Amino acid sequence: MKFSEVIGQEEAAQHLLQLAEENRIPHAMLFCGPQGCGKMALALAFASHLLNDSPMLKKWEHPDLYFTYPTIKLPGMGADHQPISDDFAKPWHEMLLQGAYFTVNQWMQQMGATSQQAIITAAESDAIAKNLSLKSSQGGYKVSIIWLPERMNLTSANKLLKILEEPPHETVFILVSEEPEHLLETIRSRTQRFDFKKIHNDAIQQALIQQRGLDEDIARRVARVANGNWNKALEELDAGNENRQFLDMFIMLMRLAYMRNIHDLKKWSETISLFGREKQRRMLTYFMRMIRENFMFNFQQPDLNYMTQDEENFSKNFARFINEANVIDITELLERAHHDIGQNANAKIVFFDMALKMIVLLIRK
């Protein structure tokens, strides 16, 4: 993959190329930035550059390129087996061949996950150490790309820390993180952080026109809703995307809370509890965005809002219920639920408790 295939991010690409040209490449790099900004695409492009754009990279099977990513435990795995990336090498490469822009949800589906949470196990860190102890097959760099390192369990994180403290010769680590604040501070301190910005709307618009054949007006609207997130732009082109389901669930929650319909709120909570935990967390993130958008909608400045037409249609009547008296508390309520679900709390209890508290918060003025 070449930097020219990365959507936008020209400044970031030039900076990385300059580091390589001046031989100032850090041994451990932490790529951060908002979702869909192209962190993984930049990592793949930089890895390709370091490995001299070898023809082997067309299928991402270069012997000096190692991938680490969150995995799940499948039913057929033994009780004592800790899953590692190699267990899912085939679906991972299949996903990479479809493109450098993808989400956790897409990866979970690719693995065949149901309700599990994907993590990076301690066995994976052992595999990293073993793989990188080998000499470079091509006589140059070895590159280790670790996608979502914040999903390492504590044992795995501590083992990776030891590797970063004494890195193998001519090895470059590229950690691609969505939530770097969840990484061990000691790991963050041993990496050089690169913060990438959202993709400019113009770049998304042009990519939609060139790659997807959209006309200019539609591309402009999709780019605006995507707000710097290429993955979201692609979701908007999918008529059955997950966010439409989340919008329905958001509308139902708010209407039932406003009506103080505890019986149906309990049924709503039970329905949500059947979602996998990863999907529940994505839904709560969507809810938080909708609270922000509805609060800003009250200011009647269209440039401040980034909603689809369906979202905006609901907000026209609902936005007045999100105000200075409750917006912070509602956001914190959703953040606590997101945290609790991530800690494996009972989903039925978390969502029903959240729904009951929403009744009180919605009537604040």
Side-chain angles (χ1 to χ4, degrees):
M1 180 174 184
K2 297 183 181 298
F3 280 108
S4 59
E5 298 174 63
V6 178
I7 298 169
Q9 303 297 0
E10 291 84 359
E11 184 179 339
Q14 286 302 314
H15 180 51
L16 291 171
L17 287 170
Q18 185 176 358
L19 289 176
E21 184 178 345
E22 296 174 357
N23 199 27
R24 295 190 296 111
I25 302 170
H27 82 276
M29 312 167 75
L30 178 60
F31 283 14
C32 307
Q35 291 185 2
C37 73
K39 298 182 292 295
M40 191 61 170
L42 286 164
L44 292 170
F46 193 47
S48 298
H49 181 74
L50 295 178
L51 298 173
N52 301 312
D53 293 315
S54 167
M56 289 181 282
L57 292 166
K58 290 183 178 179
K59 293 187 177 181
W60 297 114
E61 293 178 346
H62 194 288
D64 295 326
L65 175 62
Y66 305 92
F67 290 106
T68 293
Y69 35 84
T71 56
I72 58 172
K73 189 160 187 174
L74 295 175
M77 294 177 175
D80 296 330
H81 179 72
Q82 291 187 40
I84 60 174
S85 297
D86 281 350
D87 294 331
F88 296 89
K90 183 178 179 180
W92 174 258
H93 283 90
E94 288 174 350
M95 188 173 70
L96 281 183
L97 290 174
Q98 294 171 20
Y101 296 82
F102 47 83
T103 65
V104 173
N105 183 33
Q106 290 171 307
W107 174 230
M108 296 293 284
Q109 292 176 352
Q110 193 82 8
M111 285 191 292
T114 52
S115 60
Q116 308 101 313
Q117 289 198 80
I119 66 168
I120 297 175
T121 65
E124 178 65 32
S125 290
D126 292 335
I128 293 173
K130 180 180 178 181
N131 288 333
L132 297 179
S133 67
L134 303 173
K135 282 189 175 182
S136 167
S137 67
Q138 307 297 307
Y141 284 108
K142 292 176 291 183
V143 181
S144 172
I145 297 180
I146 304 177
W147 184 53
L148 304 184
E150 60 268 26
R151 289 179 177 249
M152 291 183 292
N153 62 28
L154 185 58
T155 304
S156 178
N158 282 323
K159 287 187 175 184
L160 177 64
L161 176 62
K162 292 182 180 179
I163 301 173
L164 295 179
E165 288 175 336
E166 299 180 11
H169 180 62
E170 287 199 313
T171 298
V172 176
F173 291 90
I174 307 176
L175 283 64
V176 183
S177 177
E178 295 284 357
E179 300 174 298
E181 66 276 9
H182 293 161
L183 276 168
L184 289 180
E185 171 58 33
T186 44
I187 288 180
R188 294 202 302 269
S189 68
R190 282 165 177 76
T191 61
Q192 182 170 328
R193 178 165 173 161
F194 294 77
D195 285 292
F196 304 121
K197 300 175 182 178
K198 294 188 296 185
I199 306 172
H200 197 279
N201 283 0
D202 288 345
I204 291 182
Q205 180 180 331
Q206 288 304 311
L208 288 170
I209 293 171
Q210 294 169 7
Q211 298 182 22
R212 302 288 164 159
L214 299 188
D215 65 47
E216 188 172 342
D217 289 340
I218 295 176
R220 184 185 299 111
R221 180 171 181 83
V222 172
R224 177 164 175 74
V225 171
N227 191 25
N229 184 336
W230 177 249
N231 293 330
K232 187 173 181 183
L234 296 182
E235 287 176 1
E236 286 303 314
L237 302 181
D238 176 11
N241 75 68
E242 188 178 63
N243 281 356
R244 282 177 169 78
Q245 181 186 22
F246 291 164
L247 175 60
D248 291 339
M249 290 299 175
F250 181 79
I251 292 173
M252 190 180 302
L253 169 63
M254 296 306 166
R255 285 178 175 167
L256 292 175
Y258 177 75
M259 296 165 58
R260 304 187 185 188
N261 188 334
I262 295 177
H263 178 267
D264 285 349
L265 281 173
K266 187 172 187 297
K267 290 171 63 177
W268 179 90
S269 304
E270 291 170 350
T271 298
I272 300 301
S273 70
L274 299 176
F275 293 176
R277 289 189 180 272
E278 296 288 352
K279 185 173 181 177
Q280 290 166 355
R281 296 180 77 199
R282 292 195 302 274
M283 185 191 72
L284 288 165
T285 298
Y286 175 85
F287 284 9
M288 285 184 270
R289 183 179 73 81
M290 283 300 293
I291 293 299
R292 180 264 178 201
E293 294 294 339
N294 276 269
F295 179 66
M296 299 306 295
F297 192 86
N298 292 309
F299 294 94
Q300 298 182 355
Q301 296 186 36
D303 289 346
L304 298 177
N305 278 117
Y306 301 89
M307 290 190 285
T308 65
Q309 192 61 59
D310 289 340
E311 291 169 346
E312 188 174 318
N313 290 341
F314 173 68
S315 298
K316 288 176 182 177
N317 294 319
F318 175 71
R320 60 193 173 93
F321 295 100
I322 306 300
N323 52 63
E324 292 87 346
N326 63 14
V327 62
I328 293 176
D329 287 337
I330 290 177
T331 301
E332 290 179 347
L333 176 64
L334 294 170
E335 287 175 344
R336 284 197 300 275
H338 187 277
H339 174 269
D340 291 344
I341 291 299
Q343 296 297 312
N344 291 320
N346 185 297
K348 286 184 182 180
I349 295 175
V350 170
F351 284 107
F352 188 46
D353 178 69
M354 183 191 80
L356 292 178
K357 290 176 178 174
M358 194 69 69
I359 293 176
V360 178
L361 293 175
L362 273 185
I363 63 175
R364 281 191 187 172
K365 295 182 180 179

PDB file of all heavy atoms in Angstrom, residues 103-135:
ATOM      1  N   THR A 103     -13.531  -1.399  10.879  1.00  0.00           N
ATOM      2  CA  THR A 103     -13.915  -1.132  12.260  1.00  0.00           C
ATOM      3  C   THR A 103     -13.804  -2.402  13.098  1.00  0.00           C
ATOM      4  O   THR A 103     -13.680  -3.512  12.559  1.00  0.00           O
ATOM      5  CB  THR A 103     -15.361  -0.617  12.326  1.00  0.00           C
ATOM      6  OG1 THR A 103     -16.244  -1.670  11.877  1.00  0.00           O
ATOM      7  CG2 THR A 103     -15.554   0.618  11.454  1.00  0.00           C
ATOM      8  N   VAL A 104     -13.879  -2.222  14.406  1.00  0.00           N
ATOM      9  CA  VAL A 104     -13.892  -3.376  15.315  1.00  0.00           C
ATOM     10  C   VAL A 104     -15.083  -4.266  14.993  1.00  0.00           C
ATOM     11  O   VAL A 104     -14.979  -5.497  15.005  1.00  0.00           O
ATOM     12  CB  VAL A 104     -13.955  -2.903  16.782  1.00  0.00           C
ATOM     13  CG1 VAL A 104     -14.139  -4.094  17.717  1.00  0.00           C
ATOM     14  CG2 VAL A 104     -12.701  -2.140  17.157  1.00  0.00           C
ATOM     15  N   ASN A 105     -16.218  -3.654  14.697  1.00  0.00           N
ATOM     16  CA  ASN A 105     -17.414  -4.420  14.384  1.00  0.00           C
ATOM     17  C   ASN A 105     -17.185  -5.314  13.172  1.00  0.00           C
ATOM     18  O   ASN A 105     -17.561  -6.497  13.171  1.00  0.00           O
ATOM     19  CB  ASN A 105     -18.587  -3.467  14.118  1.00  0.00           C
ATOM     20  CG  ASN A 105     -19.880  -4.214  13.858  1.00  0.00           C
ATOM     21  OD1 ASN A 105     -20.124  -5.283  14.411  1.00  0.00           O
ATOM     22  ND2 ASN A 105     -20.733  -3.657  13.015  1.00  0.00           N
ATOM     23  N   GLN A 106     -16.561  -4.777  12.145  1.00  0.00           N
ATOM     24  CA  GLN A 106     -16.285  -5.580  10.954  1.00  0.00           C
ATOM     25  C   GLN A 106     -15.341  -6.739  11.282  1.00  0.00           C
ATOM     26  O   GLN A 106     -15.501  -7.848  10.772  1.00  0.00           O
ATOM     27  CB  GLN A 106     -15.691  -4.695   9.855  1.00  0.00           C
ATOM     28  CG  GLN A 106     -16.693  -3.732   9.261  1.00  0.00           C
ATOM     29  CD  GLN A 106     -16.044  -2.714   8.341  1.00  0.00           C
ATOM     30  OE1 GLN A 106     -15.091  -2.028   8.723  1.00  0.00           O
ATOM     31  NE2 GLN A 106     -16.536  -2.606   7.123  1.00  0.00           N
ATOM     32  N   TRP A 107     -14.345  -6.461  12.124  1.00  0.00           N
ATOM     33  CA  TRP A 107     -13.405  -7.521  12.506  1.00  0.00           C
ATOM     34  C   TRP A 107     -14.106  -8.593  13.336  1.00  0.00           C
ATOM     35  O   TRP A 107     -13.864  -9.785  13.145  1.00  0.00           O
ATOM     36  CB  TRP A 107     -12.229  -6.932  13.262  1.00  0.00           C
ATOM     37  CG  TRP A 107     -11.266  -7.950  13.818  1.00  0.00           C
ATOM     38  CD1 TRP A 107     -10.792  -8.018  15.084  1.00  0.00           C
ATOM     39  CD2 TRP A 107     -10.661  -9.045  13.107  1.00  0.00           C
ATOM     40  NE1 TRP A 107      -9.929  -9.078  15.228  1.00  0.00           N
ATOM     41  CE2 TRP A 107      -9.835  -9.727  14.033  1.00  0.00           C
ATOM     42  CE3 TRP A 107     -10.752  -9.511  11.808  1.00  0.00           C
ATOM     43  CZ2 TRP A 107      -9.098 -10.854  13.682  1.00  0.00           C
ATOM     44  CZ3 TRP A 107     -10.013 -10.648  11.452  1.00  0.00           C
ATOM     45  CH2 TRP A 107      -9.194 -11.302  12.381  1.00  0.00           C
ATOM     46  N   MET A 108     -14.995  -8.195  14.218  1.00  0.00           N
ATOM     47  CA  MET A 108     -15.731  -9.175  15.018  1.00  0.00           C
ATOM     48  C   MET A 108     -16.569 -10.082  14.120  1.00  0.00           C
ATOM     49  O   MET A 108     -16.616 -11.302  14.300  1.00  0.00           O
ATOM     50  CB  MET A 108     -16.625  -8.464  16.034  1.00  0.00           C
ATOM     51  CG  MET A 108     -15.872  -7.663  17.083  1.00  0.00           C
ATOM     52  SD  MET A 108     -14.890  -8.663  18.221  1.00  0.00           S
ATOM     53  CE  MET A 108     -16.181  -9.305  19.288  1.00  0.00           C
ATOM     54  N   GLN A 109     -17.216  -9.494  13.140  1.00  0.00           N
ATOM     55  CA  GLN A 109     -18.004 -10.291  12.200  1.00  0.00           C
ATOM     56  C   GLN A 109     -17.114 -11.211  11.386  1.00  0.00           C
ATOM     57  O   GLN A 109     -17.475 -12.368  11.113  1.00  0.00           O
ATOM     58  CB  GLN A 109     -18.797  -9.360  11.280  1.00  0.00           C
ATOM     59  CG  GLN A 109     -19.900  -8.579  11.980  1.00  0.00           C
ATOM     60  CD  GLN A 109     -20.593  -7.599  11.052  1.00  0.00           C
ATOM     61  OE1 GLN A 109     -20.174  -7.383   9.920  1.00  0.00           O
ATOM     62  NE2 GLN A 109     -21.660  -6.982  11.545  1.00  0.00           N
ATOM     63  N   GLN A 110     -15.948 -10.718  11.016  1.00  0.00           N
ATOM     64  CA  GLN A 110     -15.008 -11.517  10.229  1.00  0.00           C
ATOM     65  C   GLN A 110     -14.551 -12.743  11.015  1.00  0.00           C
ATOM     66  O   GLN A 110     -14.350 -13.822  10.446  1.00  0.00           O
ATOM     67  CB  GLN A 110     -13.802 -10.653   9.852  1.00  0.00           C
ATOM     68  CG  GLN A 110     -12.898 -11.248   8.795  1.00  0.00           C
ATOM     69  CD  GLN A 110     -13.413 -11.016   7.385  1.00  0.00           C
ATOM     70  OE1 GLN A 110     -14.366 -10.291   7.176  1.00  0.00           O
ATOM     71  NE2 GLN A 110     -12.788 -11.657   6.413  1.00  0.00           N
ATOM     72  N   MET A 111     -14.405 -12.589  12.342  1.00  0.00           N
ATOM     73  CA  MET A 111     -13.982 -13.707  13.188  1.00  0.00           C
ATOM     74  C   MET A 111     -15.119 -14.659  13.513  1.00  0.00           C
ATOM     75  O   MET A 111     -14.891 -15.754  14.017  1.00  0.00           O
ATOM     76  CB  MET A 111     -13.386 -13.181  14.502  1.00  0.00           C
ATOM     77  CG  MET A 111     -12.000 -12.602  14.383  1.00  0.00           C
ATOM     78  SD  MET A 111     -11.245 -12.316  16.020  1.00  0.00           S
ATOM     79  CE  MET A 111     -12.267 -10.987  16.661  1.00  0.00           C
ATOM     80  N   GLY A 112     -16.359 -14.205  13.278  1.00  0.00           N
ATOM     81  CA  GLY A 112     -17.510 -15.021  13.659  1.00  0.00           C
ATOM     82  C   GLY A 112     -17.882 -14.872  15.118  1.00  0.00           C
ATOM     83  O   GLY A 112     -18.413 -15.801  15.736  1.00  0.00           O
ATOM     84  N   ALA A 113     -17.621 -13.698  15.681  1.00  0.00           N
ATOM     85  CA  ALA A 113     -17.910 -13.454  17.098  1.00  0.00           C
ATOM     86  C   ALA A 113     -19.407 -13.295  17.320  1.00  0.00           C
ATOM     87  O   ALA A 113     -20.152 -12.862  16.441  1.00  0.00           O
ATOM     88  CB  ALA A 113     -17.180 -12.216  17.580  1.00  0.00           C
ATOM     89  N   THR A 114     -19.848 -13.624  18.515  1.00  0.00           N
ATOM     90  CA  THR A 114     -21.248 -13.444  18.905  1.00  0.00           C
ATOM     91  C   THR A 114     -21.305 -12.405  20.023  1.00  0.00           C
ATOM     92  O   THR A 114     -21.439 -11.221  19.765  1.00  0.00           O
ATOM     93  CB  THR A 114     -21.876 -14.781  19.336  1.00  0.00           C
ATOM     94  OG1 THR A 114     -21.035 -15.399  20.347  1.00  0.00           O
ATOM     95  CG2 THR A 114     -21.989 -15.730  18.152  1.00  0.00           C
ATOM     96  N   SER A 115     -21.172 -12.848  21.266  1.00  0.00           N
ATOM     97  CA  SER A 115     -21.253 -11.905  22.385  1.00  0.00           C
ATOM     98  C   SER A 115     -19.904 -11.675  23.067  1.00  0.00           C
ATOM     99  O   SER A 115     -19.822 -10.966  24.056  1.00  0.00           O
ATOM    100  CB  SER A 115     -22.256 -12.427  23.424  1.00  0.00           C
ATOM    101  OG  SER A 115     -21.847 -13.685  23.924  1.00  0.00           O
ATOM    102  N   GLN A 116     -18.836 -12.291  22.536  1.00  0.00           N
ATOM    103  CA  GLN A 116     -17.536 -12.177  23.191  1.00  0.00           C
ATOM    104  C   GLN A 116     -16.947 -10.779  23.038  1.00  0.00           C
ATOM    105  O   GLN A 116     -17.315 -10.019  22.155  1.00  0.00           O
ATOM    106  CB  GLN A 116     -16.544 -13.191  22.595  1.00  0.00           C
ATOM    107  CG  GLN A 116     -17.032 -14.620  22.561  1.00  0.00           C
ATOM    108  CD  GLN A 116     -17.528 -15.012  21.190  1.00  0.00           C
ATOM    109  OE1 GLN A 116     -18.288 -14.272  20.581  1.00  0.00           O
ATOM    110  NE2 GLN A 116     -17.113 -16.171  20.709  1.00  0.00           N
ATOM    111  N   GLN A 117     -16.018 -10.475  23.935  1.00  0.00           N
ATOM    112  CA  GLN A 117     -15.195  -9.278  23.781  1.00  0.00           C
ATOM    113  C   GLN A 117     -13.822  -9.711  23.273  1.00  0.00           C
ATOM    114  O   GLN A 117     -13.249 -10.675  23.758  1.00  0.00           O
ATOM    115  CB  GLN A 117     -15.047  -8.533  25.114  1.00  0.00           C
ATOM    116  CG  GLN A 117     -16.318  -7.856  25.572  1.00  0.00           C
ATOM    117  CD  GLN A 117     -16.034  -6.796  26.613  1.00  0.00           C
ATOM    118  OE1 GLN A 117     -15.637  -5.688  26.299  1.00  0.00           O
ATOM    119  NE2 GLN A 117     -16.239  -7.126  27.865  1.00  0.00           N
ATOM    120  N   ALA A 118     -13.329  -8.988  22.300  1.00  0.00           N
ATOM    121  CA  ALA A 118     -12.034  -9.326  21.721  1.00  0.00           C
ATOM    122  C   ALA A 118     -10.913  -8.714  22.557  1.00  0.00           C
ATOM    123  O   ALA A 118     -10.973  -7.534  22.911  1.00  0.00           O
ATOM    124  CB  ALA A 118     -11.956  -8.816  20.288  1.00  0.00           C
ATOM    125  N   ILE A 119      -9.895  -9.510  22.858  1.00  0.00           N
ATOM    126  CA  ILE A 119      -8.761  -9.031  23.642  1.00  0.00           C
ATOM    127  C   ILE A 119      -7.456  -9.529  23.018  1.00  0.00           C
ATOM    128  O   ILE A 119      -7.460 -10.395  22.136  1.00  0.00           O
ATOM    129  CB  ILE A 119      -8.822  -9.489  25.115  1.00  0.00           C
ATOM    130  CG1 ILE A 119      -8.682 -11.016  25.215  1.00  0.00           C
ATOM    131  CG2 ILE A 119     -10.094  -9.008  25.785  1.00  0.00           C
ATOM    132  CD1 ILE A 119      -8.442 -11.516  26.623  1.00  0.00           C
ATOM    133  N   ILE A 120      -6.348  -8.967  23.485  1.00  0.00           N
ATOM    134  CA  ILE A 120      -5.017  -9.453  23.112  1.00  0.00           C
ATOM    135  C   ILE A 120      -4.458 -10.181  24.330  1.00  0.00           C
ATOM    136  O   ILE A 120      -4.276  -9.588  25.392  1.00  0.00           O
ATOM    137  CB  ILE A 120      -4.102  -8.297  22.684  1.00  0.00           C
ATOM    138  CG1 ILE A 120      -4.667  -7.624  21.427  1.00  0.00           C
ATOM    139  CG2 ILE A 120      -2.679  -8.791  22.424  1.00  0.00           C
ATOM    140  CD1 ILE A 120      -3.905  -6.387  20.992  1.00  0.00           C
ATOM    141  N   THR A 121      -4.227 -11.466  24.190  1.00  0.00           N
ATOM    142  CA  THR A 121      -3.870 -12.315  25.323  1.00  0.00           C
ATOM    143  C   THR A 121      -2.379 -12.270  25.642  1.00  0.00           C
ATOM    144  O   THR A 121      -1.565 -11.776  24.856  1.00  0.00           O
ATOM    145  CB  THR A 121      -4.259 -13.774  25.026  1.00  0.00           C
ATOM    146  OG1 THR A 121      -3.459 -14.242  23.918  1.00  0.00           O
ATOM    147  CG2 THR A 121      -5.734 -13.890  24.668  1.00  0.00           C
ATOM    148  N   ALA A 122      -2.043 -12.828  26.798  1.00  0.00           N
ATOM    149  CA  ALA A 122      -0.636 -12.939  27.190  1.00  0.00           C
ATOM    150  C   ALA A 122       0.127 -13.834  26.222  1.00  0.00           C
ATOM    151  O   ALA A 122       1.304 -13.599  25.923  1.00  0.00           O
ATOM    152  CB  ALA A 122      -0.532 -13.480  28.612  1.00  0.00           C
ATOM    153  N   ALA A 123      -0.545 -14.853  25.706  1.00  0.00           N
ATOM    154  CA  ALA A 123       0.096 -15.745  24.740  1.00  0.00           C
ATOM    155  C   ALA A 123       0.488 -14.991  23.482  1.00  0.00           C
ATOM    156  O   ALA A 123       1.484 -15.326  22.827  1.00  0.00           O
ATOM    157  CB  ALA A 123      -0.843 -16.904  24.398  1.00  0.00           C
ATOM    158  N   GLU A 124      -0.279 -13.958  23.141  1.00  0.00           N
ATOM    159  CA  GLU A 124       0.047 -13.153  21.958  1.00  0.00           C
ATOM    160  C   GLU A 124       1.363 -12.405  22.160  1.00  0.00           C
ATOM    161  O   GLU A 124       2.191 -12.322  21.251  1.00  0.00           O
ATOM    162  CB  GLU A 124      -1.074 -12.163  21.671  1.00  0.00           C
ATOM    163  CG  GLU A 124      -0.822 -11.245  20.500  1.00  0.00           C
ATOM    164  CD  GLU A 124      -0.745 -11.986  19.168  1.00  0.00           C
ATOM    165  OE1 GLU A 124      -1.427 -13.015  19.011  1.00  0.00           O
ATOM    166  OE2 GLU A 124       0.020 -11.533  18.301  1.00  0.00           O
ATOM    167  N   SER A 125       1.568 -11.853  23.359  1.00  0.00           N
ATOM    168  CA  SER A 125       2.827 -11.156  23.624  1.00  0.00           C
ATOM    169  C   SER A 125       4.011 -12.112  23.549  1.00  0.00           C
ATOM    170  O   SER A 125       5.100 -11.740  23.086  1.00  0.00           O
ATOM    171  CB  SER A 125       2.777 -10.483  25.002  1.00  0.00           C
ATOM    172  OG  SER A 125       1.877  -9.398  24.989  1.00  0.00           O
ATOM    173  N   ASP A 126       3.801 -13.353  23.997  1.00  0.00           N
ATOM    174  CA  ASP A 126       4.868 -14.362  23.858  1.00  0.00           C
ATOM    175  C   ASP A 126       5.161 -14.624  22.382  1.00  0.00           C
ATOM    176  O   ASP A 126       6.317 -14.776  21.978  1.00  0.00           O
ATOM    177  CB  ASP A 126       4.443 -15.670  24.542  1.00  0.00           C
ATOM    178  CG  ASP A 126       4.363 -15.539  26.057  1.00  0.00           C
ATOM    179  OD1 ASP A 126       5.052 -14.655  26.604  1.00  0.00           O
ATOM    180  OD2 ASP A 126       3.611 -16.311  26.675  1.00  0.00           O
ATOM    181  N   ALA A 127       4.093 -14.650  21.570  1.00  0.00           N
ATOM    182  CA  ALA A 127       4.268 -14.884  20.138  1.00  0.00           C
ATOM    183  C   ALA A 127       5.015 -13.727  19.483  1.00  0.00           C
ATOM    184  O   ALA A 127       5.844 -13.933  18.590  1.00  0.00           O
ATOM    185  CB  ALA A 127       2.905 -15.097  19.473  1.00  0.00           C
ATOM    186  N   ILE A 128       4.726 -12.494  19.924  1.00  0.00           N
ATOM    187  CA  ILE A 128       5.435 -11.325  19.393  1.00  0.00           C
ATOM    188  C   ILE A 128       6.930 -11.455  19.675  1.00  0.00           C
ATOM    189  O   ILE A 128       7.767 -11.258  18.778  1.00  0.00           O
ATOM    190  CB  ILE A 128       4.888 -10.027  20.016  1.00  0.00           C
ATOM    191  CG1 ILE A 128       3.448  -9.768  19.557  1.00  0.00           C
ATOM    192  CG2 ILE A 128       5.773  -8.836  19.644  1.00  0.00           C
ATOM    193  CD1 ILE A 128       2.789  -8.595  20.265  1.00  0.00           C
ATOM    194  N   ALA A 129       7.262 -11.785  20.924  1.00  0.00           N
ATOM    195  CA  ALA A 129       8.672 -11.919  21.303  1.00  0.00           C
ATOM    196  C   ALA A 129       9.366 -13.002  20.482  1.00  0.00           C
ATOM    197  O   ALA A 129      10.507 -12.826  20.020  1.00  0.00           O
ATOM    198  CB  ALA A 129       8.774 -12.219  22.794  1.00  0.00           C
ATOM    199  N   LYS A 130       8.683 -14.109  20.268  1.00  0.00           N
ATOM    200  CA  LYS A 130       9.268 -15.226  19.519  1.00  0.00           C
ATOM    201  C   LYS A 130       9.483 -14.845  18.054  1.00  0.00           C
ATOM    202  O   LYS A 130      10.555 -15.067  17.487  1.00  0.00           O
ATOM    203  CB  LYS A 130       8.353 -16.446  19.608  1.00  0.00           C
ATOM    204  CG  LYS A 130       8.871 -17.661  18.848  1.00  0.00           C
ATOM    205  CD  LYS A 130       7.919 -18.842  18.984  1.00  0.00           C
ATOM    206  CE  LYS A 130       8.420 -20.046  18.180  1.00  0.00           C
ATOM    207  NZ  LYS A 130       7.485 -21.196  18.281  1.00  0.00           N
ATOM    208  N   ASN A 131       8.459 -14.234  17.451  1.00  0.00           N
ATOM    209  CA  ASN A 131       8.559 -13.870  16.033  1.00  0.00           C
ATOM    210  C   ASN A 131       9.663 -12.841  15.776  1.00  0.00           C
ATOM    211  O   ASN A 131      10.414 -12.939  14.807  1.00  0.00           O
ATOM    212  CB  ASN A 131       7.227 -13.316  15.541  1.00  0.00           C
ATOM    213  CG  ASN A 131       6.158 -14.389  15.409  1.00  0.00           C
ATOM    214  OD1 ASN A 131       6.477 -15.553  15.190  1.00  0.00           O
ATOM    215  ND2 ASN A 131       4.907 -14.000  15.547  1.00  0.00           N
ATOM    216  N   LEU A 132       9.759 -11.858  16.665  1.00  0.00           N
ATOM    217  CA  LEU A 132      10.709 -10.774  16.442  1.00  0.00           C
ATOM    218  C   LEU A 132      12.133 -11.128  16.850  1.00  0.00           C
ATOM    219  O   LEU A 132      13.060 -10.370  16.589  1.00  0.00           O
ATOM    220  CB  LEU A 132      10.252  -9.518  17.183  1.00  0.00           C
ATOM    221  CG  LEU A 132       8.911  -8.945  16.700  1.00  0.00           C
ATOM    222  CD1 LEU A 132       8.533  -7.710  17.501  1.00  0.00           C
ATOM    223  CD2 LEU A 132       8.968  -8.606  15.210  1.00  0.00           C
ATOM    224  N   SER A 133      12.300 -12.290  17.484  1.00  0.00           N
ATOM    225  CA  SER A 133      13.654 -12.739  17.825  1.00  0.00           C
ATOM    226  C   SER A 133      14.383 -13.287  16.597  1.00  0.00           C
ATOM    227  O   SER A 133      15.608 -13.420  16.597  1.00  0.00           O
ATOM    228  CB  SER A 133      13.594 -13.824  18.906  1.00  0.00           C
ATOM    229  OG  SER A 133      12.980 -15.001  18.402  1.00  0.00           O
ATOM    230  N   LEU A 134      13.607 -13.556  15.540  1.00  0.00           N
ATOM    231  CA  LEU A 134      14.202 -14.072  14.310  1.00  0.00           C
ATOM    232  C   LEU A 134      14.854 -12.948  13.520  1.00  0.00           C
ATOM    233  O   LEU A 134      14.443 -11.787  13.605  1.00  0.00           O
ATOM    234  CB  LEU A 134      13.117 -14.739  13.449  1.00  0.00           C
ATOM    235  CG  LEU A 134      12.319 -15.875  14.111  1.00  0.00           C
ATOM    236  CD1 LEU A 134      11.184 -16.316  13.198  1.00  0.00           C
ATOM    237  CD2 LEU A 134      13.242 -17.041  14.451  1.00  0.00           C
ATOM    238  N   LYS A 135      15.853 -13.280  12.731  1.00  0.00           N
ATOM    239  CA  LYS A 135      16.508 -12.282  11.889  1.00  0.00           C
ATOM    240  C   LYS A 135      15.594 -11.873  10.748  1.00  0.00           C
ATOM    241  O   LYS A 135      14.761 -12.655  10.278  1.00  0.00           O
ATOM    242  CB  LYS A 135      17.814 -12.844  11.319  1.00  0.00           C
ATOM    243  CG  LYS A 135      18.966 -12.856  12.304  1.00  0.00           C
ATOM    244  CD  LYS A 135      20.257 -13.220  11.589  1.00  0.00           C
ATOM    245  CE  LYS A 135      21.448 -13.114  12.541  1.00  0.00           C
ATOM    246  NZ  LYS A 135      22.731 -13.414  11.830  1.00  0.00           N
TER     247      LYS A 135
END
